[in-house]
């Protein structure tokens, strides 16, 4: 089950349950800051999520900040043995390590 709500503009929020508050909590991912929201039902999540996103985007516009964080780069730390195995597997398949890892991540995302 995917606990993700999608919003216009390519924005997505991961949804969880806060047992202390007895409410669902949404948190936008891939933003240059934090934006979250709470509600007791799906319609409330959609409404509160849209409002939270609007406030966040308005603030980004006012400050001249790019709202999305994702640039396509991240540092990856692997233990030596996994790094060695990945390097060998990439070379054996005629790919760079970057291509090999990109394909592995793409496949994992498709399965999620």
């Amino acid at each position: 089950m995917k606990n993700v709500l999608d919003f216009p503009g390519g924005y997505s929020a991961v949804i969880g349950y806060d047992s202390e508050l007895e409410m669902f909590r949404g948190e936008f991912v891939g933003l240059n800051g934090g934006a979250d929201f709470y509600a007791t039902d799906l319609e409330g999540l959609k409404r509160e999520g849209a409002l939270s996103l609007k406030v966040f985007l308005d603030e980004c516009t006012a400050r001249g900040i790019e709202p999305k964080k994702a640039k396509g780069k991240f540092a990856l730390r692997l233990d030596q043995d996994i790094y060695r195995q990945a390097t060998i597997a990439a070379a054996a398949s005629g790919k760079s390590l970057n291509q090999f890892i990109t394909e592995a991540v793409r496949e994992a995302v498709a399965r999620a």
Side-chain angles (χ1 to χ4, degrees), residues 32 56-68:
N32 266 334
F56 179 81
L57 294 175
D58 287 349
E59 189 64 24
C60 286
T61 299
R63 294 179 182 219
I65 297 170
E66 169 62 38
K68 292 185 179 180

Side-chain angles (χ1 to χ4, degrees), residues 78-91 97 100:
L78 302 172
D79 68 40
Q80 280 186 321
D81 192 48
I82 294 294
Y83 177 79
R84 184 184 62 75
Q85 290 177 43
T87 302
I88 292 167
L97 184 57
F100 184 79

Side-chain angles (χ1 to χ4, degrees), residues 21-97:
L21 295 176
E22 296 183 347
M23 296 179 81
F24 294 99
R25 176 180 184 265
E27 181 177 10
F28 285 97
V29 293
L31 299 181
N32 266 334
D36 63 352
F37 51 98
Y38 289 83
T40 57
D41 59 26
L42 180 58
E43 288 309 310
L45 280 171
K46 290 177 180 178
R47 182 180 59 253
E48 293 300 318
L51 178 60
S52 177
L53 183 59
K54 180 183 182 329
V55 168
F56 179 81
L57 294 175
D58 287 349
E59 189 64 24
C60 286
T61 299
R63 294 179 182 219
I65 297 170
E66 169 62 38
K68 292 185 179 180
K69 174 170 51 174
K71 302 277 189 237
K73 296 180 182 183
F74 72 97
L76 178 64
R77 291 176 180 79
L78 302 172
D79 68 40
Q80 280 186 321
D81 192 48
I82 294 294
Y83 177 79
R84 184 184 62 75
Q85 290 177 43
T87 302
I88 292 167
S93 60
K95 300 174 185 159
S96 70
L97 184 57

